[in-house]
Amino acid sequence: MTIEKDDSFAAMFEREAAAPAKKRRTPRVGERVNGVVVQLGRDTVFVELEGRIQAFLEAEELRAEDGELTVKEGDKITANVVEVDESRGHIRLGRSMGKPGSIAALEQAKAAGLGVEGKVTGVNKGGLEVELGGTRAFCPMSQVDSKRIEDADAKALIGQSLRFLVTDIRDGGKNVVLSRRALQKQEASETVARAMTDIVPGAVLTGTVASVRDFGAFVDLGGVEGMIPRSEIAHDRSVNVADALKAGDTVEVQVREIKDVEPTRPGGSTKKITLSLKALTADPWAELSIVEGRVIAGTATRSTEFGVFVRLAPAVEGLLHVSELARGAKVGDGEEIRVVVKKIDRATRKISLVPAPEGAEVGTAVATAVAVKVGAVVSGVVERIETYGLFVQVDGTKGRAGRGLVPNAEVGVPRGTDLRKSFPEGTKVTAKVLETGEGRLRLSIKGAKDAEERADFEAARGRAGAPASLGTFADLLKGRKL
């Protein structure tokens, strides 16, 4: 509702006066009061105080730098009682007392903590010279602004009308000391208090990106700053903060958490507000159709010391662990690769991958476990040499599941032999399977040789031809003279 003429405010008071009389305490000048905005006029904002007492403020006091009002109907505000005219039933509120006309008014403003309006008339070495409705005053340079101000900036204030708090009055008003910084701090606290009434966990708010860092973005929520951590920017973890947000962007965010913290600087915030962008977007895991044991095409997004992250679907990544890659294998960012989904953990939102077999088509089912049995003899290639043995990749397999360890005792060479010379990487070997299981494939080159020698012995023995039967004792004596 908009009021074009201030005489409608008088009509409002007349209606209030016609209501049944009830005992109400009239606020005193200088008193700090809370109220609710009930109407917005062109030049006036009408407020209802406790006890249904009507009051008003000049709209100019509630306008932002762009001229827009900073309040709307229903908003709660805190202001000071500047004037009480009981004969007319008018109570005027203000963030300041305007231009005080006497030392008494300045004393009143000082006592009530009200701001006063003054015009900067000059700058000297110590601060600003200010004229307050005929009274000269002084604002020390350290109190001109909440931020450090240079001489050139101070001189630029000459001729401007600013608001200050009266901090000291001496010698009957001959020395009046002001502070703009203290008023800014007071108004900032009031702004924070108003904003915090709406900032609660789960609330969806609109803010402006104040700054962007590698670890997240800071958002101004109307005098209160919150942070969107990198993990809350998007469901896709590979998205960089700077690519998603820019300073000045208007964003809609959800409040995830509010914590009490120690301020990092004097007068700093005592609240840590965590915000989220991704909470307001669809969850890609909700309808994820990826199946364990299937070949899927993906795109490598980034490589780390523990493996390669592969994008499998929008905002969904899996990890191809470094142990699943051949020694020295490189996967470049942006490279298209085929992998097999080894395991999906929806609770922790983690997907384990293994390399897909050569020639495997997307969508086909592939066993991630190596189908070898204990006692079987397999062939493979030496992939890595360690002080405790050889790692052999079994032919026809990829990744850790098909990579077995041949301990030193099972290599079949004299103790002290240099394995790097006897079995350089890439050497083809034959080994016997001693043990199987997830990450527990143990092989024996010596065992394979023993099995081969035993097989050769059995074959030779078979070729020599053993008699079908030894016969009876009588058969042995037949033809002999006794």
Side-chain angles (χ1 to χ4, degrees):
M1 184 186 300
T2 303
I3 298 176
E4 297 295 332
K5 295 183 179 180
D6 286 346
D7 59 357
S8 52
F9 181 53
M12 189 187 341
F13 277 113
E14 289 177 7
R15 290 195 299 272
E16 182 67 18
K22 52 185 178 181
K23 189 174 182 180
R24 297 181 299 188
R25 186 184 69 80
T26 301
R28 299 184 301 275
V29 172
E31 185 175 344
R32 200 164 185 75
V33 294
N34 298 315
V36 178
V37 176
V38 293
Q39 290 179 328
L40 302 176
R42 183 178 58 190
D43 301 313
T44 310
V45 173
F46 303 108
V47 179
E48 185 175 275
L49 307 179
E50 185 179 353
R52 299 182 62 82
I53 296 174
Q54 306 300 319
F56 69 95
L57 296 89
E58 293 180 3
E60 196 61 35
E61 290 206 62
L62 298 172
R63 293 190 190 279
E65 292 183 0
D66 58 5
E68 293 294 320
L69 282 172
T70 58
V71 296
K72 61 183 182 299
E73 291 182 13
D75 281 358
K76 296 178 180 179
I77 67 170
T78 300
N80 302 288
V81 179
V82 173
E83 180 184 359
V84 177
D85 187 340
E86 295 191 21
S87 63
R88 298 174 59 195
H90 284 192
I91 299 175
R92 183 163 69 91
L93 307 179
R95 297 294 175 84
S96 69
M97 289 193 68
K99 296 180 180 179
S102 65
I103 297 300
L106 289 175
E107 292 279 10
Q108 191 178 60
K110 177 177 178 293
L114 295 178
V116 295
E117 186 178 315
K119 185 175 182 179
V120 180
T121 58
V123 178
N124 59 38
K125 186 180 294 186
L128 304 182
E129 296 171 1
V130 182
E131 190 268 322
L132 300 170
T135 302
R136 295 180 61 187
F138 176 73
C139 179
M141 196 65 77
S142 63
Q143 298 300 311
V144 172
D145 200 280
S146 56
K147 302 183 292 293
R148 179 181 174 82
I149 188 166
E150 301 296 336
D151 290 344
D153 298 323
K155 290 178 180 178
L157 297 175
I158 296 175
Q160 294 188 32
S161 291
L162 304 175
R163 295 169 61 241
F164 305 85
L165 283 182
V166 180
T167 58
D168 199 8
I169 300 175
R170 302 174 189 168
D171 303 328
K174 292 181 180 179
N175 292 314
V176 178
V177 183
L178 309 174
S179 173
R180 183 167 173 251
R181 178 178 179 179
L183 182 62
Q184 289 175 334
K185 182 178 179 181
Q186 176 180 297
E187 291 177 339
S189 297
E190 292 172 359
T191 299
V192 169
R194 287 197 304 274
M196 287 303 296
T197 60
D198 296 325
I199 301 175
V200 294
V204 177
L205 306 170
T206 299
T208 303
V209 177
S211 61
V212 176
R213 300 286 187 271
D214 290 341
F215 53 83
F218 291 93
V219 178
D220 183 359
L221 299 173
V224 178
E225 201 167 70
M227 190 188 79
I228 311 173
R230 177 172 179 164
S231 60
E232 293 293 334
I233 296 291
H235 291 285
D236 188 345
R237 300 180 199 175
S238 66
V239 172
N240 290 321
V241 182
D243 292 336
L245 297 170
K246 298 287 187 297
D249 286 353
T250 298
V251 292
E252 190 173 56
V253 294
Q254 184 180 76
V255 180
R256 298 305 299 266
E257 185 179 47
I258 301 174
K259 283 185 177 180
D260 292 323
V261 295
E262 292 293 329
T264 56
R265 54 183 173 78
S269 175
T270 60
K271 300 289 183 183
K272 179 183 178 182
I273 303 171
T274 303
L275 308 173
S276 175
L277 275 177
K278 78 176 185 182
L280 301 179
T281 60
D283 184 356
W285 280 77
E287 299 180 0
L288 190 64
S289 58
I290 295 174
V291 179
E292 290 182 3
R294 297 278 179 180
V295 177
I296 188 170
T299 304
T301 57
R302 63 189 188 281
S303 298
T304 68
E305 61 182 12
F306 50 84
V308 178
F309 285 94
V310 181
R311 183 184 294 115
L312 308 174
V316 177
E317 291 183 339
L319 176 64
L320 184 59
H321 197 272
V322 65
S323 63
E324 300 290 355
L325 297 170
R327 187 175 180 86
K330 300 291 184 182
V331 180
D333 292 354
E335 183 178 338
E336 300 289 330
I337 59 174
R338 291 186 181 183
V339 291
V340 178
V341 179
K342 182 179 180 182
K343 184 178 181 181
I344 300 175
D345 188 336
R346 292 181 180 272
T348 60
R349 301 197 170 200
K350 293 181 179 179
I351 301 177
S352 300
L353 307 173
V354 296
E358 293 290 341
E361 294 295 327
V362 172
T364 57
V366 174
T368 56
V370 177
V372 294
K373 296 181 179 180
V374 173
V377 175
V378 296
S379 59
V381 177
V382 175
E383 188 176 87
R384 194 166 84 245
I385 303 165
E386 301 292 349
T387 56
Y388 47 85
L390 309 174
F391 280 96
V392 174
Q393 189 72 45
V394 175
D395 289 346
T397 69
K398 277 189 172 185
R400 180 171 53 180
R403 188 180 302 122
L405 171 66
V406 182
N408 285 334
E410 298 296 336
V411 174
V413 295
R415 189 171 183 177
T417 300
D418 187 346
L419 296 182
R420 296 184 183 278
K421 291 183 179 180
S422 299
F423 297 92
E425 292 180 8
T427 302
K428 290 283 291 183
V429 296
T430 301
K432 182 179 180 180
V433 178
L434 301 179
E435 183 182 0
T436 62
E438 180 67 26
R440 296 194 308 274
L441 181 58
R442 291 179 68 249
L443 307 173
S444 172
I445 295 175
K446 183 177 71 172
K449 290 180 180 178
D450 290 346
E452 183 180 4
E453 291 173 358
R454 188 176 298 108
D456 290 343
F457 173 76
E458 293 295 339
R461 180 174 160 181
R463 287 194 298 270
S469 172
L470 293 177
T472 63
F473 182 67
D475 292 331
L476 292 174
L477 296 178
K478 189 181 295 183
R480 290 176 178 268
K481 292 182 179 182
L482 299 175

